[in-house]
Amino acid sequence: MKRGLYILLISILFISCSDFQKTLKSEDTAAKFEMASELFDAGKWKKSFRLSEQILQKYRGKPQAEKLTYIHAMCSYHLGDYYIASYHLDKFTDIYPQSEKAEEAAFYAAKGYYYNSPVYSKEQKETVEAIEKLQLFVNEYPNSKYLAEANTLVKELDFKLEKKAFEIAKQYNLIGGYTGDYVASIKSFNNFLLEFPGATLRGDAFYYRFNSAYKLAILSVDYKKEERLKEALDYYQALNKSYPNSVYLEEANILKEELQQELNTFTTKS
């Protein structure tokens, strides 16, 4: 009995594939449209895409064009071709702004840009573009069922920009070696704190800014050292005031004591 059922399933699959190939090779655009719709509803994205791709231009300007354009674009999305999907979904919302699928298309177009965003260590042009697209969606559809997800995606992309800016500033601190690196690190962290006032990594930035100022002061020549020691201690106070429970505070306290001892030598001399 199991063998018979297996043979039946194989037969159905073979017939289904045969019908698809026959329709794919035919000149019957209506049959292709119908099968592309059925395959899309069944989640057969690749086959639906192949059929819709063949007849998309032939239906341009016709009543069926709206549905076919949507199917074609969403198949691209489900197949992971996000550049193409976002392009066609954007085009769909431009051509059919009153469509019942316009909101969905606008969201998935924006989400396609999200998927094109690279890892934080790379150039973030696509990330900025994705944030802009998602924000436009949120502004246009403030009551959308996709609103929570859109906001979550924006938050994730914002963190990626934050992480990149933070790591650049931190890298100056880590490579060190000469005072110019620490000056650049302090400047970068100051810019970071201005650009990302609500940053997740804000507490870390306060510490590494202080750490860079500490290293700069310790390495400085005598005629610059006193001023830089005082500046480093100011950054310590900023860390201590803003993040009194910082995980870095124990280490920061050790560095602060060293700075204070160094500064005391200048006070003694004067």
Side-chain angles (χ1 to χ4, degrees):
M1 183 173 179
K2 287 184 178 179
R3 178 178 173 82
L5 182 60
Y6 176 76
I7 292 172
L8 177 62
L9 290 172
I10 293 296
S11 298
I12 292 172
L13 181 63
F14 178 78
I15 292 170
S16 176
C17 290
S18 177
D19 287 344
F20 170 73
Q21 289 297 331
K22 186 186 297 184
T23 304
L24 189 68
K25 294 176 182 178
S26 78
E27 297 298 322
D28 190 341
T29 55
K32 290 183 178 183
F33 178 86
E34 183 179 354
M35 182 171 280
S37 300
E38 291 173 354
L39 290 169
F40 179 82
D41 291 338
K44 306 293 184 182
W45 319 120
K46 190 171 183 179
K47 288 181 177 180
S48 180
F49 177 81
R50 290 182 67 186
L51 289 168
S52 61
E53 178 84 350
Q54 283 189 346
I55 60 175
L56 191 61
Q57 296 299 324
K58 294 179 181 180
Y59 275 100
R60 191 168 301 282
K62 297 181 179 180
Q64 301 93 326
E66 179 182 334
K67 182 177 182 179
L68 190 61
T69 303
Y70 168 80
I71 287 173
H72 180 261
M74 286 303 296
C75 281
S76 294
Y77 177 87
H78 287 299
L79 290 170
D81 194 349
Y82 299 117
Y83 281 108
I84 296 297
S86 291
Y87 170 78
H88 285 294
L89 287 166
D90 278 338
K91 197 171 181 181
F92 177 87
T93 58
D94 287 341
I95 299 173
Y96 307 105
Q98 302 305 317
S99 170
E100 64 177 17
K101 296 292 187 180
E103 179 183 328
E104 181 186 357
F107 173 70
Y108 282 105
K111 194 172 181 180
Y113 286 97
Y114 160 83
Y115 281 123
N116 288 327
S117 170
V119 295
Y120 78 87
S121 57
K122 294 186 177 180
E123 169 62 41
Q124 293 300 300
K125 178 182 176 182
E126 288 87 353
T127 302
V128 173
E129 189 173 24
I131 292 172
E132 291 173 350
K133 292 291 184 179
L134 284 162
Q135 196 58 58
L136 282 172
F137 171 80
V138 169
N139 294 341
E140 188 168 353
Y141 299 98
N143 300 312
S144 173
K145 65 179 182 179
Y146 302 109
L147 186 64
E149 185 178 357
N151 285 329
T152 297
L153 297 179
V154 169
K155 187 175 181 180
E156 184 179 332
L157 293 168
D158 277 337
F159 180 74
K160 193 177 289 189
L161 297 180
E162 174 189 328
K163 178 73 170 173
K164 183 176 179 65
F166 175 83
E167 290 298 334
I168 289 173
K170 185 179 176 182
Q171 190 63 25
Y172 284 121
N173 173 282
L174 295 178
I175 60 176
Y178 74 103
T179 56
D181 289 325
Y182 300 122
V183 170
S185 182
I186 294 167
K187 182 177 180 181
S188 295
F189 277 121
N190 281 332
N191 290 337
F192 173 86
L193 292 168
L194 286 172
E195 188 175 353
F196 301 97
T200 304
L201 297 171
R202 188 173 176 82
D204 302 73
F206 266 80
Y207 168 72
Y208 279 102
R209 181 179 64 173
F210 162 64
N211 185 276
S212 295
Y214 159 81
K215 292 176 180 178
L216 176 63
I218 295 300
L219 289 176
S220 291
V221 293
D222 284 345
Y223 77 94
K224 291 184 177 181
K225 196 164 192 175
E226 183 177 8
E227 180 185 354
R228 286 175 172 175
L229 287 166
K230 291 178 180 177
E231 288 176 353
L233 287 168
D234 286 342
Y235 284 131
Y236 167 82
Q237 292 300 332
L239 168 65
N240 190 35
K241 181 179 179 180
S242 299
Y243 296 93
N245 299 314
S246 171
V247 295
Y248 300 107
L249 205 56
E250 184 177 350
E251 182 179 352
N253 285 335
I254 294 172
L255 301 183
K256 176 246 187 182
E257 289 301 320
E258 185 178 345
L259 290 168
Q260 192 62 62
Q261 289 173 15
E262 287 283 331
L263 185 59
N264 289 342
T265 63
F266 284 92
T267 306
T268 303
K269 289 177 184 178
S270 60

